[in-house]
Amino acid sequence: MSRVQTTKRKTSFICFFFVVWYTTYYFMNNNIFSSEKERLTKIRLSSSLTLSSNTLSTIYNNDNPLEELNMRFCGQTTCKFLFVYDYGEQETKANLHFRSFSQLAEKLNRTMILTNVGSSQINICQNYPFDFYYDLKLLRQEFPNVIYKYEDDFYLWLKIRDEIKKKMNYKKDNEIIPPLSILHSHLRRYDITTETIYREVKPVVSLNKCLSKFEPFMNLVDPKNSKVRYTIMDIAKSDIRPRAKPEFSELLVESLTTDEEIMLVNSFVLEALFPKVMPAIPYNDYILNEAQKLKDKLSSSYIAIHWRLEQARPELLPECAQGLIKTLKRVMTEEGIENIYLATDYPLLSSKSQSDTFKDITNYHHEAIRMLNETFKINTWVSLGGLEDLRKDKNYHSEFVGPGLQGILDKLVCIDANYFLAGSFGCSRILSTFTKSIEDERKDKIRNIDSGILNTIDRWKIIL
Ligand SMILES: *[C@@H]1O[C@H](CO)[C@@H](O)[C@H](O)[C@H]1NC(C)=O
Ligand SMILES: *[C@@H]1O[C@H](CO)[C@@H](O)[C@H](O)[C@H]1NC(C)=O
């Protein structure tokens, strides 16, 4: 066989490969689009894929396809990503952490991946794109210097990079495109240390299993696919106090200033990372509209109760219910309010509680809720028909087993209540960021005389 023939074969092989890949991509893309469209009619999520087939052929025909791909994705010839794949904690806190890492992405000049959401968390194992909870337009306004990409976009970038790599590295030992360079870092508040320590560690063997959803295009244990460096930062409690934060955040930025293309972060930091705490990321419009619908149904005025039964002493609960009933009667008479809205982790839909950490539901719990329910008409997000379309849709089933969207809905309804009651010590969990965030919002709103808001927060007492 002559050299010309071999080259011809190779070329046709590459062409054939490209056609197969392109066709696969085209159909995949269209499938994603049609399912996206079905969702649009209900909750109007934005489409996450940003590359048209025209764009793709431009990338492929470029002399340096990888640079072209990166320009399109990240606006720079090299892409550098910050992908915090687990934010730890539930939505109110995860929301705070997401803002901290957006500040970090800006400082590090990295494109930030919008980790999936669901079950009141932001992490890679969840099923729904980021805008299932949040308003991306307002997020981008809050952080105009950060480029945000969905997990789907990241997957697409990995996939196209991999194809380009295969195409350019087709000869043996021809390494034009190197393996992915990855830094995997675990950031955790670690109360045992008295000073913050950042160190290299051996490869982590038990990585989060959901990282495998980017295989085969990102595979942390295949050296041909990626070169991974592992680090841990143990953050001392004293370093993350407000006064220590300017210095701490500098250390953080300095430690994480690296050349790796992809920074994967597993985070459990508990506090804001930077001195400036940015305002909460607003929720998606469909959630706000749903909350408005509930508020309208509660007509002109209502008392909202936040009763988190987790961490209550079960045997106290019936007395707690009596205390609540007495307080409600007083407020209703004094303020002339007739409607009651209950936000609770007590199971309203299924037998599973609305908090992950709340497992043992006893007869005391049932008794307390029954007493309340027999005395007043108790409205909840379920009884008022909140999120009915989504609840009927089996694609969203997992969101309504345990904690999820309904927590956001409850929070929004509580924030605007004319009167707000939360459980006292023994009756409920006291140190709740969820309750605190409602209290903070109400503090702002009560300054406006027309808001109709009568108190910030009151805690009812047990009757013994
Ligand atoms: C971010 O990176 C790009 C490309 O490397 C560079 O042109 C730009 O100046 C950087 N911006 C900052 C704020 O460092
Ligand atoms: C209150 O009682 C009504 C009627 O029996 C029931 O449909 C509703 O689910 C109860 N509410 C709660 C919060 O248990």
Side-chain angles (χ1 to χ4, degrees), residues 297-298 338-343 373 377-384:
K297 283 189 182 165
L298 292 163
E338 282 175 7
N339 297 301
I340 298 172
Y341 182 85
L342 176 66
N373 201 20
K377 179 176 190 296
I378 300 295
N379 300 289
T380 64
W381 71 278
V382 176
S383 74
L384 295 175

Short mmCIF file of all heavy atoms in Angstrom, two decimals, residues 297-298 338-343 373 377-384:
data_model
loop_
_atom_site.label_atom_id
_atom_site.label_comp_id
_atom_site.label_asym_id
_atom_site.label_seq_id
_atom_site.Cartn_x
_atom_site.Cartn_y
_atom_site.Cartn_z
N LYS A 297 -54.53 33.54 48.27
CA LYS A 297 -55.57 32.67 48.82
C LYS A 297 -55.76 32.87 50.32
O LYS A 297 -56.81 32.56 50.86
CB LYS A 297 -55.22 31.20 48.56
CG LYS A 297 -55.50 30.78 47.12
CD LYS A 297 -55.36 29.30 46.95
CE LYS A 297 -55.59 28.92 45.49
NZ LYS A 297 -55.13 27.55 45.21
N LEU A 298 -54.73 33.36 50.98
CA LEU A 298 -54.85 33.64 52.41
C LEU A 298 -55.51 35.00 52.64
O LEU A 298 -55.49 35.55 53.74
CB LEU A 298 -53.47 33.59 53.08
CG LEU A 298 -52.84 32.19 53.12
CD1 LEU A 298 -51.35 32.27 53.40
CD2 LEU A 298 -53.53 31.33 54.17
N GLU A 338 -57.70 36.35 60.62
CA GLU A 338 -58.47 35.10 60.64
C GLU A 338 -57.75 33.90 60.06
O GLU A 338 -58.10 32.76 60.36
CB GLU A 338 -59.79 35.30 59.86
CG GLU A 338 -60.81 36.05 60.69
CD GLU A 338 -62.07 36.36 59.90
OE1 GLU A 338 -62.19 35.87 58.76
OE2 GLU A 338 -62.91 37.10 60.43
N ASN A 339 -56.78 34.16 59.18
CA ASN A 339 -56.17 33.02 58.48
C ASN A 339 -54.84 32.60 59.10
O ASN A 339 -54.07 33.43 59.58
CB ASN A 339 -55.94 33.39 57.02
CG ASN A 339 -57.27 33.67 56.33
OD1 ASN A 339 -58.13 32.81 56.28
ND2 ASN A 339 -57.43 34.89 55.84
N ILE A 340 -54.63 31.30 59.04
CA ILE A 340 -53.40 30.73 59.61
C ILE A 340 -52.69 29.90 58.54
O ILE A 340 -53.32 29.09 57.84
CB ILE A 340 -53.72 29.83 60.82
CG1 ILE A 340 -54.39 30.65 61.93
CG2 ILE A 340 -52.46 29.15 61.34
CD1 ILE A 340 -54.90 29.80 63.06
N TYR A 341 -51.41 30.14 58.44
CA TYR A 341 -50.59 29.33 57.52
C TYR A 341 -49.51 28.62 58.33
O TYR A 341 -48.82 29.25 59.14
CB TYR A 341 -49.92 30.23 56.47
CG TYR A 341 -49.09 29.47 55.46
CD1 TYR A 341 -49.68 28.91 54.32
CD2 TYR A 341 -47.72 29.30 55.64
CE1 TYR A 341 -48.93 28.20 53.40
CE2 TYR A 341 -46.95 28.58 54.72
CZ TYR A 341 -47.57 28.04 53.59
OH TYR A 341 -46.83 27.33 52.69
N LEU A 342 -49.39 27.32 58.13
CA LEU A 342 -48.39 26.54 58.89
C LEU A 342 -47.27 26.07 57.97
O LEU A 342 -47.52 25.35 56.99
CB LEU A 342 -49.06 25.33 59.55
CG LEU A 342 -48.13 24.36 60.29
CD1 LEU A 342 -47.49 25.02 61.51
CD2 LEU A 342 -48.88 23.09 60.69
N ALA A 343 -46.05 26.49 58.29
CA ALA A 343 -44.87 25.99 57.58
C ALA A 343 -44.18 25.01 58.53
O ALA A 343 -43.85 25.37 59.65
CB ALA A 343 -43.92 27.13 57.24
N ASN A 373 -54.90 21.28 64.41
CA ASN A 373 -55.77 21.16 63.24
C ASN A 373 -57.25 21.05 63.62
O ASN A 373 -58.13 21.38 62.83
CB ASN A 373 -55.33 19.92 62.43
CG ASN A 373 -55.78 19.97 60.99
OD1 ASN A 373 -56.09 21.04 60.48
ND2 ASN A 373 -55.86 18.82 60.34
N LYS A 377 -58.71 26.27 61.32
CA LYS A 377 -58.49 25.85 59.93
C LYS A 377 -57.02 26.14 59.63
O LYS A 377 -56.58 27.29 59.63
CB LYS A 377 -59.38 26.64 58.98
CG LYS A 377 -59.18 26.27 57.53
CD LYS A 377 -60.18 27.02 56.65
CE LYS A 377 -60.19 26.51 55.22
NZ LYS A 377 -58.97 26.70 54.49
N ILE A 378 -56.25 25.07 59.44
CA ILE A 378 -54.81 25.23 59.21
C ILE A 378 -54.51 25.12 57.72
O ILE A 378 -54.77 24.09 57.10
CB ILE A 378 -54.02 24.14 59.99
CG1 ILE A 378 -54.27 24.23 61.49
CG2 ILE A 378 -52.52 24.23 59.69
CD1 ILE A 378 -53.76 25.50 62.14
N ASN A 379 -53.99 26.20 57.15
CA ASN A 379 -53.59 26.17 55.73
C ASN A 379 -52.12 25.81 55.61
O ASN A 379 -51.30 26.23 56.43
CB ASN A 379 -53.80 27.54 55.09
CG ASN A 379 -55.25 27.98 55.15
OD1 ASN A 379 -56.10 27.43 54.46
ND2 ASN A 379 -55.54 28.95 56.01
N THR A 380 -51.81 25.03 54.60
CA THR A 380 -50.40 24.71 54.31
C THR A 380 -50.20 24.84 52.80
O THR A 380 -51.17 25.01 52.05
CB THR A 380 -50.05 23.26 54.71
OG1 THR A 380 -50.83 22.38 53.89
CG2 THR A 380 -50.32 23.00 56.18
N TRP A 381 -48.96 24.72 52.36
CA TRP A 381 -48.72 24.81 50.91
C TRP A 381 -49.46 23.70 50.18
O TRP A 381 -49.86 23.88 49.03
CB TRP A 381 -47.21 24.78 50.60
CG TRP A 381 -46.56 23.45 50.83
CD1 TRP A 381 -46.12 22.94 52.02
CD2 TRP A 381 -46.29 22.45 49.84
NE1 TRP A 381 -45.60 21.69 51.83
CE2 TRP A 381 -45.68 21.37 50.51
CE3 TRP A 381 -46.50 22.37 48.46
CZ2 TRP A 381 -45.28 20.21 49.84
CZ3 TRP A 381 -46.10 21.21 47.80
CH2 TRP A 381 -45.50 20.15 48.49
N VAL A 382 -49.72 22.56 50.87
CA VAL A 382 -50.45 21.46 50.23
C VAL A 382 -51.93 21.79 50.14
O VAL A 382 -52.54 21.70 49.08
CB VAL A 382 -50.22 20.13 50.99
CG1 VAL A 382 -51.05 19.02 50.38
CG2 VAL A 382 -48.75 19.76 50.99
N SER A 383 -52.51 22.22 51.29
CA SER A 383 -53.96 22.46 51.30
C SER A 383 -54.33 23.61 50.36
O SER A 383 -55.43 23.66 49.83
CB SER A 383 -54.45 22.73 52.72
OG SER A 383 -54.07 24.03 53.14
N LEU A 384 -53.39 24.53 50.12
CA LEU A 384 -53.68 25.66 49.24
C LEU A 384 -53.34 25.36 47.78
O LEU A 384 -53.41 26.23 46.91
CB LEU A 384 -52.92 26.91 49.71
CG LEU A 384 -53.32 27.46 51.08
CD1 LEU A 384 -52.42 28.62 51.48
CD2 LEU A 384 -54.78 27.91 51.10
#
